[in-house]
Amino acid sequence: MNDRFLRACRRESVDRTPLWIMRQAGRYLPEYRELRARVDFLTLCRTPELAVEASLMPIRRFDLDAAIVFSDILLPLESLGCELSFDPSPRIARPLRSSEEIAALRPRPVAEVVPYVGDAVALLRRELSGRVPVIGFSGAPFTLAAYLTEGHGHDGFPAIRALRAADPAALGTLLDTLSVMVTEHLELQIAAGAQAVQIFDSWAGILSPADFAAFALPAVRRAIRGLRRYHVPVIYFAPAAGHVLELAATTGADVLGVCWRTPLDAARRLTGGRVALQGNLDPAALLAPPARVRERALAVLDEAGDEPGHIMNLGHGILPGTPVASVEALVAAVAERERRTA
Ligand code: 1CP
């Protein structure tokens, strides 16, 4: 098996830096857009054969070192009785706002609510037959709480910041509930064959360092602690969170995802080599001509340095308008570096 991704997660030596791309199974691919023209997003997520088809699209096209299951971080929120829709961005029918609503939550087991996520992981693992490892994923408790309270994506997510001010104990209760859900969601995927898992804390960067330390961090730590016994690498990714980078390195995750705002050499210094790093080419760099993509990618590899424990990726999800030729240039740049150092 191509295990350079798993080796890099464990900070072991590799023949070349592994590469995968956040949101690699997405709208920049013509074959994905074709599939989505036939089926709506939720049907795609809930039909393992179709979800696996989407996961395999980037693997068939590019020499990538990991596949990610096709799903969404918000799907397990249905275990709390939420009604979700996507058109194409997500909406939650009745956002949670009061401590009464939070105290009344009676979560159903995640495995009963999203069994199709486990089925997709198992089928993906079978289809890949060892070609590259399978990554499972979940939202982090804080980011899920941000959507649950707001009801949809929103710049700065004011509803959760208002809840933090009005009723911090209720926010604590909500995060406790979500920590259990995140552990269950990832256990489901690990049991089905996921060989690594990534936790997306997409909105933790809206918090001050004190609030990150008091709310987002303990909640994700608890979720990760529940996974230790499986010995599967855990990646924690909180974009726009350079102001809490040192705290973000203490979640218990093996790998810290770094967005493009923080140089990898600075991240390495601040984390003292205690975690592997993943990232961090600016997704917008892939909108430049291929020769520029190559330059920018090689600059990221230079910043990452020669020590083991770097996984090449973008600093956030790939943008929908990205040309396929840019991804090809990125893959070629990573392969080129192998020849230079070999
Ligand atoms: O096809 C479509 O038009 C729907 C767009 C889409 C896709 C392709 C959504 C709706 N979700 C997904 C799949 C998805 N989501 C994946 C698997 C694909 C892959 O990685 O290759 C993953 C890992 C996610 C994770 C996800 N969903 C995050 C975390 C990543 C990040 O960018 O920070 C978040 C915040 C979501 C919520 C979500 N789902 C969809 C959208 C458009 C959003 C963001 C909405 C918002 O905040 O406004």
Side-chain angles (χ1 to χ4, degrees):
M1 179 177 76
N2 168 357
D3 67 346
R4 50 173 87 87
F5 164 74
L6 295 174
R7 291 184 59 86
C9 287
R10 297 189 296 252
R11 286 177 285 148
E12 294 168 1
S13 64
V14 284
D15 57 343
R16 72 155 167 80
T17 304
L19 167 70
W20 72 281
I21 298 172
M22 286 188 278
R23 301 286 190 111
Q24 64 191 22
R27 283 169 296 176
Y28 72 104
L29 285 176
E31 57 271 36
Y32 176 80
R33 291 196 299 270
E34 215 172 275
L35 177 59
R36 279 281 284 105
R38 287 189 283 119
V39 278
D40 66 85
F41 179 68
L42 275 175
T43 304
L44 177 44
C45 291
R46 288 172 178 156
T47 314
E49 292 72 22
L50 295 177
V52 167
E53 193 47 42
S55 286
L56 290 174
M57 284 171 181
I59 304 301
R60 292 200 174 110
R61 253 187 201 267
F62 312 113
D63 188 11
L64 298 166
D65 297 300
I68 184 161
V69 64
F70 192 87
S71 176
D72 195 81
I73 62 166
L74 301 177
L75 297 173
L77 293 179
E78 291 184 324
S79 72
L80 301 178
C82 291
E83 238 175 79
L84 264 179
S85 58
F86 289 84
D87 97 54
S89 40
R91 292 222 157 241
I92 292 163
R94 288 171 304 282
L96 287 178
R97 293 284 162 87
S98 70
S99 54
E100 290 76 23
E101 287 169 315
I102 290 167
L105 291 174
R106 295 287 173 272
R108 290 170 54 206
V110 173
E112 278 178 20
V113 179
V114 293
Y116 50 83
V117 176
D119 295 341
V121 169
L123 184 59
L124 179 58
R125 180 92 193 253
R126 249 196 336 271
E127 290 284 321
L128 285 166
S129 56
R131 186 164 157 199
V132 292
V134 172
I135 304 173
F137 70 90
S138 173
F142 179 80
T143 286
L144 295 175
Y147 281 102
L148 265 177
T149 50
E150 197 72 45
H152 52 86
H154 190 298
D155 212 13
F157 286 80
I160 195 162
R161 286 153 60 210
L163 179 65
R164 186 264 170 264
D167 197 343
L171 176 56
T173 305
L174 178 57
L175 291 171
D176 281 343
T177 303
L178 290 168
S179 289
V180 175
M181 180 204 280
V182 169
T183 301
E184 278 184 35
H185 188 209
L186 293 173
E187 276 177 329
L188 169 72
Q189 296 172 69
I190 292 168
Q195 290 143 296
V197 293
Q198 174 152 326
I199 300 178
F200 287 93
D201 216 346
S202 307
W203 301 108
I206 66 173
L207 293 172
S208 67
D211 281 349
F212 181 85
F215 295 99
L217 181 61
V220 75
R221 267 193 193 145
R222 209 155 37 232
I224 291 173
R225 204 181 306 130
L227 301 172
R228 281 290 105 194
R229 60 201 172 103
Y230 302 107
H231 304 289
V232 158
V234 177
I235 306 165
Y236 176 68
F237 174 59
H243 60 304
V244 291
L245 189 93
E246 286 154 283
L247 289 170
T250 67
T251 58
D254 307 275
V255 184
L256 180 65
V258 180
C259 81
W260 72 89
R261 298 166 186 84
T262 304
L264 287 176
D265 49 2
R268 184 78 82 183
R269 266 196 312 279
L270 288 166
T271 58
R274 289 183 293 275
V275 286
L277 299 176
Q278 176 176 277
N280 67 349
L281 180 63
D282 184 346
L286 297 195
L287 303 179
R292 294 290 182 201
V293 173
R294 170 179 175 271
E295 267 174 31
R296 301 307 303 149
L298 292 177
V300 169
L301 290 168
D302 284 340
E303 245 167 35
D306 293 329
E307 274 169 49
H310 175 230
I311 297 148
M312 183 66 166
N313 204 316
L314 304 183
H316 206 155
I318 189 166
L319 297 167
T322 302
V324 164
S326 293
V327 178
E328 286 165 352
L330 169 60
V331 169
V334 173
E336 172 186 344
R337 184 46 55 90
E338 165 195 25
R339 287 197 299 273
R340 266 218 279 164
T341 54

